[in-house]
Amino acid sequence: MPLRPDSSARAFAMLAIVMLFWSGNALVGRAVRDDIPPFTLAFVRWAGALLILAPLALRHVKADLVALKAGWRPLLFLGLVGVAAFNALLYSGLQHTSATNGLLLQALIPPLVLAFGAIFFRDRAPVAQILGVLLSMAGVAVILFRGDLSALAGLRFGQGDGLVLAGCMAWALYTSFLRKTPPVHPLAFLFTTFLIGAVAMAPLAMAEALSGKAIIWKPGTLLAFGYVAVFPSVLAYFLYNAAVARIGPGPAGQTISLMPLLGAFLAATVLGERLETHHATGMALIMGGIALTALAVRKTMRG
């Protein structure tokens, strides 16, 4: 039975909230990069998310224990790739590259999702969706290069960019393979994958501490820990996973193109930065691309 078209509208609204939370996560990560080592930040993020989830999720984990054990392989893969690897690689890469490079590389996630879907699951994306992805990528480029695309020639890529690119590939894999999620309650799935992510990050965070990379404690540090544990973790992953289940990995992955735009609006609101003409142009291209994809999704659901 096909999903109702209005289900896709709710899914895209959920994804817009997710991208807002993740844009805030990028700003927080950049703001505390000198105060919190990257693996430590990732570990505290998932450990904190587990503490928040535990009162709500443990009864579902107990009820779904048989299904969780039977589906341990996809759970382990999704936890390692989408929770541990993506965030560890992204936080580490942003220590050594610019925010512009990081956002530009994340704009590759939508086409990577389509590519992995075709390779591993023989997905066939509608032409409108492919055009939508390309249009949104053009909008991201306009925003990042302030309307001067000749700036592409001045780009320089290094080790940090390689780490971010690897993280983007990890997230595209996570998005594509969410269809393999065992039939368990969403909170049980979140708790299990977050637990895998926290366990994977623990030795890396410990290695940072032993190497002398300590947390610089201040009020902003505590606020950063609280934000990354709640908004881009518990709430965002719950909404993202639900949206992927509703509209599929390709359309959901494309909304990551919203992050540079939302980041610009957050910077204008929080940091007082000006919004320029290129922001409006980029917004029109990104929203046009997402609209094309949304129309393709609605057409598929009606079918």
Side-chain angles (χ1 to χ4, degrees):
M1 179 180 177
L3 291 170
R4 294 184 304 169
D6 62 343
S7 179
S8 68
R10 287 196 297 271
F12 279 106
M14 290 157 57
L15 288 164
I17 295 171
V18 170
M19 299 311 148
L20 179 63
F21 290 160
W22 283 346
S23 297
N25 180 55
L27 288 181
V28 170
R30 292 287 295 173
V32 301
R33 66 187 182 278
D34 295 326
D35 301 327
I36 308 173
F39 295 143
T40 302
L41 179 59
F43 171 72
V44 174
R45 175 181 178 178
W46 301 121
L50 282 173
L51 290 175
I52 295 165
L53 272 178
L56 303 171
L58 286 179
R59 62 189 179 92
H60 297 294
V61 171
K62 183 178 179 180
D64 291 335
L65 199 55
V66 173
L68 289 169
K69 288 181 178 179
W72 71 269
R73 288 182 179 86
L75 284 170
L76 181 63
F77 177 78
L78 291 168
L80 290 175
V81 169
V83 178
F86 169 66
N87 291 280
L89 290 165
L90 183 63
Y91 285 152
S92 298
L94 289 174
Q95 297 279 316
H96 306 288
T97 191
S98 67
T100 297
N101 281 22
L103 287 169
L104 182 65
L105 289 166
Q106 287 183 71
L108 295 175
I109 290 177
L112 284 171
V113 171
L114 295 183
F116 288 150
I119 292 169
F120 295 109
F121 301 102
R122 298 183 179 179
D123 291 344
R124 297 183 63 183
V127 173
Q129 185 180 341
I130 296 172
L131 292 175
V133 166
L134 295 175
L135 196 60
S136 292
M137 288 180 67
V140 171
V142 168
I143 290 174
L144 294 180
F145 298 111
R146 301 178 179 275
D148 180 14
L149 296 186
S150 65
L152 277 166
L155 277 179
R156 296 293 181 271
F157 293 98
Q159 175 187 355
D161 303 292
L163 290 170
V164 173
L165 179 58
C168 294
M169 295 179 71
W171 186 255
L173 283 169
Y174 174 81
T175 301
S176 297
F177 277 82
L178 271 175
R179 70 190 77 190
K180 294 295 186 179
T181 299
V184 298
H185 192 278
L187 291 178
F189 173 76
L190 274 190
F191 187 88
T192 304
T193 51
F194 285 6
L195 178 61
I196 292 168
V199 170
M201 296 313 304
L204 297 174
M206 185 176 295
E208 282 182 333
L210 292 175
S211 69
K213 296 178 180 178
I215 300 171
I216 299 175
W217 292 101
K218 57 179 70 171
T221 305
L222 295 174
L223 288 173
F225 281 150
Y227 180 85
V228 299
V230 177
F231 295 97
S233 301
V234 175
L235 296 178
Y237 271 69
F238 181 85
L239 293 173
Y240 186 82
N241 294 346
V244 171
R246 289 190 181 201
I247 62 174
Q254 186 188 347
T255 57
I256 289 174
S257 302
L258 285 171
M259 286 183 61
L261 178 63
L262 292 172
F265 279 106
L266 285 175
T269 303
V270 178
L271 304 177
E273 296 183 5
R274 293 178 56 190
L275 292 176
E276 308 284 353
T277 303
H278 62 269
H279 290 118
T281 305
M283 178 177 69
L285 291 170
I286 291 171
M287 297 307 294
I290 292 175
L292 274 177
T293 295
L295 290 173
V297 170
R298 288 175 68 86
K299 183 176 180 181
T300 301
M301 288 182 173
R302 288 194 181 100

